[in-house]
């Protein structure tokens, strides 16, 4: 069960893979910036798409600790080190997202950054979920 609503102003084209806005009520669960390493802080992939998959696995594990699932995600902010790697990896990124998160498309921002604190990291994602009260 979700307690959020996608916000789409009248006449606007529906965005693909994200929402322009979300309204939600309930208990909020936040993640820190999550990178694509495993539970031992070892990177499982060297490419952005592979790291993205692990970021989602890690994010869902963190959310589960707070009683949230992928259907409760209302906001994601993605930081990528290469716009080119991001666009080239979109088919794989989209497939991983649909497999792990499903058809929940929260409000999202993707930002290219010069570097991330973890030298091997190619993507870092912050997530907000809202669990119905």
């Amino acid at each position: 069960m979700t307690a959020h609503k996608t916000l789409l102003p009248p006449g606007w084209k529906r965005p693909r893979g994200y929402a322009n806005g979300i309204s939600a009520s309930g208990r909020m669960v936040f993640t820190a910036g999550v990178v694509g390493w495993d539970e031992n802080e070892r990177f499982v992939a060297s490419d952005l798409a592979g790291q993205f998959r692990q970021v989602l696995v890690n994010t869902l594990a963190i959310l589960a600790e707070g009683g949230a699932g992928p259907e409760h995600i209302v906001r994601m902010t993605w930081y990528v080190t290469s716009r080119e790697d991001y666009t080239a990896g979109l088919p794989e990124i989209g497939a991983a997202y649909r497999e792990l998160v499903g058809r929940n498309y929260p409000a999202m921002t993707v930002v290219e950054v010069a570097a991330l604190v973890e030298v091997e990291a190619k993507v870092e994602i912050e997530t907000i979920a809202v669990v119905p009260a």
Side-chain angles (χ1 to χ4, degrees):
M1 179 174 164
T2 62
H4 66 270
K5 176 185 172 190
T6 300
L7 305 177
L8 183 63
W12 284 31
K13 183 178 174 184
R14 173 122 176 87
R16 291 181 48 205
Y18 68 95
N20 289 314
I22 299 284
S23 66
S25 61
R27 183 176 49 81
M28 298 177 77
V29 180
F30 301 84
T31 73
V34 177
V35 296
W37 58 23
D38 65 14
E39 63 279 358
N40 296 308
E41 297 184 354
R42 290 184 294 228
F43 283 89
V44 297
S46 59
D47 64 310
L48 191 148
Q51 287 188 15
F52 173 78
R53 173 178 280 284
Q54 186 64 41
V55 167
L56 288 183
V57 168
N58 296 345
T59 297
L60 295 175
I62 294 165
L63 292 177
E65 285 297 306
E71 70 277 14
H72 301 120
I73 297 171
V74 297
R75 175 89 177 119
M76 298 179 92
T77 303
W78 305 15
Y79 303 94
V80 299
T81 58
S82 168
R83 182 180 183 275
E84 290 75 25
D85 288 351
Y86 169 75
T87 56
L90 276 174
E92 197 173 345
I93 289 167
Y97 187 92
R98 287 185 301 277
E99 175 189 337
L100 296 168
V101 177
R103 297 209 170 271
N104 177 28
Y105 300 110
M108 291 188 201
T109 300
V110 180
V111 179
E112 181 183 38
V113 295
L116 297 166
V117 172
E118 295 301 329
V119 176
E120 293 179 62
K122 307 243 186 256
V123 57
E124 185 168 336
I125 299 177
E126 300 171 337
T127 301
I128 300 171
V130 178
V131 180

